[in-house]
Amino acid sequence: MSQTKFIVRKAAVLGAGVMGAQIAAHLANARVPTVLFDLASDGSDKSAIAQKAIDGLRKLKPSPLACAGVVEHIRPANYEEHLHLLKDCDLVIEAIAERMDWKTDLYRNVAPHLGEHCLFASNTSGLSINALAAALPAALLPRFCGVHFFNPPRYMHLVELIPATGSDPAMLDLLETFLVTTLGKGVIRARDTPNFVANRIGVFSMLATVANAAKYGLRFDVVDDLTGPRIGRPKSATFRTADVVGLDTFAHVVKTMRDTLPDDPWHGLFQTPEWLERLLAAGALGAKSGAGIYKKEGRQMRVLDPVSGDYVGAGEKADDAVKDILKMADPAARFKALRESAHPQARFLWALSRDVFHYTAFHLADIAHCARDVDLAIRWGFGWSVGPFESWQAAGWQDVAQWVAADIAAGESLAAVGLPAWALESDRAGVHFASGSYDAANGTLAQRSSLDVYRRQPAPARVIGERVEALGETVFENEGVRAFTSGDEVLVVSFKSKAHAIGPDVIEGLNRALDLAEARFKALVIWQTEEPFSVGADLQSMLPAFLGGDWESISSAVRRFQDTAMRLRYSQVPTVAAIQGYAFGGGCEFAMHCDHVVAALESYVGLVEVGVGLLPAGGGCKEFALRAARAAQGDVLAALKDSFMAIAAAKVGTSALEAREIGFLRASDTVIFNAFELLHVARAQALALAESGYRAPLRVQRFPVAGRSGAATIKGQLVNMLEGKFISQHDFTIASLIAEVMTGGDVDEGTEVDEQWILDLERKAFMQLLQTGKTQDRIANMLTTGKPLRN
């Protein structure tokens, strides 16, 4: 291909099933107009099947739509009337059911209608890409490949890119760049082997879990407690994950392994257990059918007993002795204790790890280009905190290799085949090194991709053993922050506190960083090395003053917080907030006061202080009051109402696009899809502001407020909500104070005030609430349980 850029002006998705519709939704999230095809239906609207799927996107939870409006970018279509629309599509993704014959029949139907530069990809979870390619005309082969999104496509980071023999390498590079930057994905190049990389290992792990649970006589709910967060895996663990994915889907993937891997030494394991066959026959397919391995009866969750076939009460947990082993910080000590324990739950966990290590090492050369690809695929596709090779290496490669080999020799493993010779080399310390990751097929160390798109990731996902250097040169550091630069004249500040909560050390560090930026640098960026951006003010740091009744000290701390937000607004250098994950409370307020925000799509933004019985007092109420005054067409209250409700109801934007609609982000703020590009884009935006002749904003002198009559109008609506029991008395008290602050206090409508006036009202109302018993109860509950209390 001669192209050096790949611009997707329009895309099409063939197949409006669960995956196809959600892939179309994510393309629409990225502002790619998309045509969603399905079979023609009877009746006047032959695109009714696709339209129904589009309508269904609005109802799914978690939502595949980053904001409600993006669904308008998806057009329903059918194969009978609309194949001509494919001519204008730069990318076409086939996502119909996993049937080779159905897919190839469709290819023959659509191929004549594809444009000469269109990239054509099959979204398949495990069918052979080369076998699919055989149904295509020769001219299309260079532009065809496999692309495997994981479900749900908006949220799962992994996409496997699978070349066919005839795929043009330049085309693959262009598509990878699009997937990484435009759709925000982590791309792994997979070999064309059944189930590719992530499903091959992940599904094996699930099958090994089933087999070892039966061997050691463990209940399914106990297994889920053992194989969830306790070992660094998602809360849905194993059997709940199968229910969520769909037991029919799980069985299909297992069947694919059974049918296509006859020579695999573990072939005997690739079968659906008898209890699963019974569930499938009964239509118990998991969450989508209301029953599967788990079933809710009334308020009680029940779990399948595989022996009797009956459902029993769920909720049994791991034994304390095993939990204590899993709390060991040293991986080597943890694995050794599991292996040596006589407890069946510990034996189960060791057996499961051993079998996954065994299988992954044996097949590394067949399925992946290097060990790094395996670990990242499992982390991104199955949600493990560390991949299998990372776990093995962290626990001590040589010891674990000898333990696995001994179990194989003793007949304990699920297959009698030995470990590959490379895994048993006497000098082997692992598979991930500073100089690369092990490529078992070639016996070499593979480097990371050299594609230009990865230069946009200053801090990419790393694996254990890989070189991880401190990002940039430290300019200043205290207990709360690290400020560094990478030679581009931008000072970057990262918080060091837990969940990046904003306490005195962070406030001090951020002000010092602002001093340094104004003296020596062109701009300042607030960026965290990992999620979240910030959970807000550090309530824990206020506890000593709170317990001692030192209200003046707390008031001074709030004033310092407000002053810092205002420094971000009026700094002599541009300030940019780079947010991802939670940006709550004070974190949201700091972002709102920066000159610009660069937000990863999966950012959850809100002023949630009412959850702890307080109101925003870091400038959040002030900022919305100011924005309402600027947007008002003579009616400040009308412009203010939505913002008031956002604060009073602790509304959270569940994506950066939704946060923009609510008003936490401005229309001019930047939304990106790949969080690993956040720092790159934030620096670029900061430098662009600096290089365009940046001058600090002039301080707002006066702006009109809605006054006491506006507050009275809002309170009248709150009284109705109170009498209807939609809110509690304390909710009413908090919301009333928010209304008073945002409308400017006890002044006439249209009175002009300055920013400090509203800030002072914020602080006074904050302190008033802090001294009430019900707010104190809410704070105590949040600090002890991590959950909000409604009282």
Side-chain angles (χ1 to χ4, degrees):
M1 294 180 67
S2 60
Q3 288 176 263
T4 57
K5 290 178 67 178
F6 178 46
I7 300 173
V8 182
R9 296 170 180 84
K10 186 164 72 171
V13 176
L14 310 181
V18 173
M19 282 300 290
Q22 292 199 53
I23 291 171
H26 197 54
L27 287 163
N29 289 337
R31 293 184 296 178
V32 177
T34 301
V35 186
L36 180 60
F37 280 84
D38 211 294
L39 298 171
S41 60
D42 297 330
S44 58
D45 181 6
K46 291 191 174 184
S47 298
I49 295 174
Q51 184 61 59
K52 183 178 179 182
I54 293 169
D55 293 340
L57 292 171
R58 297 183 173 94
K59 304 170 187 175
L60 290 176
K61 297 295 180 185
S63 178
L65 304 169
C67 64
V70 300
V71 76
E72 303 301 328
H73 300 307
I74 308 174
R75 174 179 174 176
N78 66 83
Y79 303 121
E80 192 174 296
E81 298 177 310
H82 300 123
L83 287 179
H84 65 278
L85 297 176
L86 295 173
K87 277 287 186 210
D88 299 326
C89 293
D90 301 293
L91 173 65
V92 175
I93 299 174
E94 169 271 307
I96 68 170
E98 293 286 276
R99 282 273 302 268
M100 180 72 72
D101 54 341
W102 291 0
K103 287 179 183 282
T104 55
D105 283 347
L106 179 61
Y107 293 2
R108 295 184 185 98
N109 192 22
V110 302
H113 300 275
L114 300 176
E116 61 177 329
H117 299 297
C118 174
L119 302 192
F120 185 48
S122 173
N123 182 72
T124 173
S125 59
L127 295 180
S128 169
I129 301 303
N130 282 299
L132 290 169
L136 294 172
L140 186 54
L141 292 178
R143 293 179 281 124
F144 174 72
C145 65
V147 55
H148 179 207
F149 287 82
F150 276 65
N151 190 25
R154 171 186 161 186
Y155 299 96
M156 298 304 293
H157 190 57
L158 178 64
V159 169
E160 292 174 316
L161 187 58
I162 312 99
T165 302
S167 299
D168 182 347
M171 176 274 293
L172 294 169
D173 291 348
L174 293 173
L175 182 55
E176 180 166 350
T177 297
F178 171 80
L179 291 167
V180 170
T181 288
T182 306
L183 298 189
K185 298 305 175 185
V187 174
I188 296 297
R189 298 274 186 111
R191 299 185 188 278
D192 187 20
T193 55
N195 287 355
F196 312 127
V197 178
N199 272 350
R200 183 74 175 272
I201 303 302
V203 173
F204 172 83
S205 175
M206 294 177 75
L207 290 170
T209 302
V210 171
N212 283 303
K215 179 178 180 179
Y216 291 99
L218 302 186
R219 289 168 51 111
F220 290 169
D221 50 355
V222 172
V223 169
D224 275 353
D225 189 52
L226 288 166
T227 59
R230 296 189 194 283
I231 60 171
R233 298 188 189 175
K235 291 169 66 175
S236 56
T238 301
F239 294 106
R240 287 188 188 277
T241 295
D243 268 355
V244 170
V245 169
L247 299 183
D248 52 341
T249 302
F250 177 61
H252 173 79
V253 176
V254 173
K255 184 179 184 301
T256 299
M257 295 176 76
R258 183 170 67 249
D259 293 346
T260 58
L261 296 167
D263 299 325
D264 192 303
W266 284 263
H267 186 264
L269 187 69
F270 305 157
Q271 55 187 335
T272 50
E274 184 180 344
W275 57 263
L276 180 52
E277 294 286 1
R278 291 198 302 267
L279 289 176
L280 294 172
L285 306 181
K288 61 188 173 186
S289 66
I293 296 169
Y294 288 90
K295 179 173 70 171
K296 195 168 187 179
E297 295 181 356
R299 294 187 175 183
Q300 185 179 17
M301 185 62 71
R302 301 178 70 80
V303 65
L304 183 73
D305 177 344
V307 177
S308 68
D310 297 327
Y311 286 93
V312 298
E316 287 199 15
K317 304 292 185 183
D319 283 358
D320 289 342
V322 179
K323 286 192 256 185
D324 288 342
I325 294 175
L326 295 177
K327 290 175 184 176
M328 293 181 175
D330 179 14
R334 187 166 63 246
F335 276 109
K336 185 173 187 292
L338 289 173
R339 185 170 188 266
E340 293 178 352
S341 173
H343 197 295
Q345 293 178 13
R347 298 291 296 160
F348 159 78
L349 285 172
W350 160 249
L352 175 59
S353 297
R354 172 202 66 214
D355 291 331
V356 171
F357 294 158
H358 186 190
Y359 190 81
T360 307
F362 185 88
H363 284 298
L364 175 59
D366 307 331
I367 66 173
H369 294 290
C370 68
R372 183 195 310 110
D373 286 352
V374 171
D375 281 340
L376 291 180
I378 292 297
R379 279 163 49 178
W380 293 342
F382 280 79
W384 296 15
S385 59
V386 294
F389 285 126
E390 291 181 284
S391 294
W392 185 344
Q393 185 165 329
W397 188 275
Q398 289 292 328
D399 284 342
V400 172
Q402 294 306 316
W403 295 339
V404 173
D407 278 13
I408 295 169
E412 292 290 326
S413 61
L414 291 174
V417 65
L419 284 169
W422 64 262
L424 292 168
E425 291 168 351
S426 59
D427 60 346
R428 178 162 295 281
V431 290
H432 303 309
F433 307 98
S435 52
S437 186
Y438 189 63
D439 173 356
N442 297 304
T444 57
L445 294 181
Q447 308 305 309
R448 282 182 169 265
S449 171
S450 60
L451 283 180
D452 285 348
V453 69
Y454 293 110
R455 296 179 186 176
R456 296 169 58 85
Q457 299 185 10
R462 300 287 188 186
V463 291
I464 291 172
E466 191 173 11
R467 180 189 290 117
V468 181
E469 298 176 349
L471 193 62
E473 176 187 351
T474 300
V475 177
F476 161 73
E477 189 168 10
N478 71 351
E479 292 298 315
V481 310
R482 173 181 178 247
F484 65 91
T485 185
S486 297
D488 57 2
E489 298 185 275
V490 174
L491 187 64
V492 180
V493 183
S494 294
F495 301 170
K496 295 162 56 178
S497 51
K498 182 179 180 182
H500 306 134
I502 303 168
D505 290 333
V506 171
I507 294 289
E508 177 196 344
L510 188 51
N511 277 278
R512 174 75 186 280
L514 283 163
D515 290 339
L516 289 167
E518 290 181 335
R520 296 168 45 191
F521 296 91
K522 289 185 176 180
L524 180 134
V525 168
I526 304 174
W527 169 82
Q528 315 299 8
T529 57
E530 59 187 9
E531 293 186 18
F533 178 72
S534 174
V535 294
D538 184 2
L539 295 175
Q540 197 78 44
S541 68
M542 295 184 185
L543 202 55
F546 177 73
L547 294 174
D550 186 358
W551 308 116
E552 185 57 38
S553 174
I554 295 176
S555 181
S556 296
V558 175
R559 176 66 186 253
R560 180 71 165 151
F561 200 112
Q562 293 177 333
D563 290 346
T564 304
M566 293 294 280
R567 278 206 71 187
L568 289 169
R569 165 59 48 80
Y570 294 112
S571 168
Q572 295 303 307
V573 295
T575 57
V576 175
I579 67 175
Q580 63 169 318
Y582 299 144
F584 289 160
C588 175
E589 288 172 306
F590 275 2
M592 291 175 74
H593 281 79
C594 287
D595 291 298
H596 193 78
V597 176
V598 178
L601 179 72
E602 299 308 329
S603 297
Y604 303 86
V605 189
L607 297 173
V608 297
E609 285 83 352
V610 297
V612 288
L614 297 168
L615 53 68
C621 294
K622 180 271 301 178
E623 191 62 16
F624 272 132
L626 176 59
R627 293 181 185 185
R630 287 173 169 168
Q633 302 291 322
D635 187 346
V636 177
L637 180 61
L640 190 67
K641 280 184 176 180
D642 288 346
S643 300
F644 164 78
M645 285 305 301
I647 294 177
K651 193 170 185 180
V652 173
T654 57
S655 75
L657 297 182
E658 194 172 270
R660 179 188 281 164
E661 289 186 340
I662 297 169
F664 298 124
L665 301 183
R666 294 156 294 206
S668 58
D669 289 331
T670 302
V671 176
I672 66 169
F673 275 55
N674 196 319
F676 290 111
E677 297 181 351
L678 198 58
L679 180 55
H680 169 83
V681 177
R683 280 173 169 160
Q685 292 286 342
L687 282 172
L689 286 169
E691 296 296 339
S692 60
Y694 179 83
R695 291 283 299 166
L698 295 175
R699 287 189 176 267
V700 177
Q701 297 303 311
R702 314 285 288 180
F703 61 93
V705 294
R708 69 176 74 85
S709 62
T713 299
I714 294 174
K715 289 179 185 178
Q717 296 171 348
L718 292 174
V719 168
N720 292 335
M721 295 176 70
L722 178 63
E723 291 180 350
K725 301 188 186 308
F726 295 106
I727 59 175
S728 69
Q729 180 62 53
H730 196 50
D731 291 331
F732 175 82
T733 299
I734 299 166
S736 296
L737 282 172
I738 293 170
E740 291 173 12
V741 171
M742 293 183 75
T743 56
D746 189 15
V747 297
D748 293 336
E749 179 184 357
T751 298
E752 293 190 344
V753 302
D754 61 14
E755 290 178 274
Q756 192 60 53
W757 176 271
I758 305 292
L759 290 171
D760 290 343
L761 291 176
E762 279 186 354
R763 190 172 65 259
K764 180 181 177 182
F766 180 93
M767 296 304 302
Q768 180 179 333
L769 287 169
L770 191 62
Q771 295 174 64
T772 64
K774 287 188 179 295
T775 284
Q776 292 170 6
D777 290 343
R778 289 192 183 191
I779 293 172
N781 193 76
M782 179 62 74
L783 291 175
T784 54
T785 71
K787 297 178 181 179
L789 171 69
R790 294 298 303 275
N791 58 356

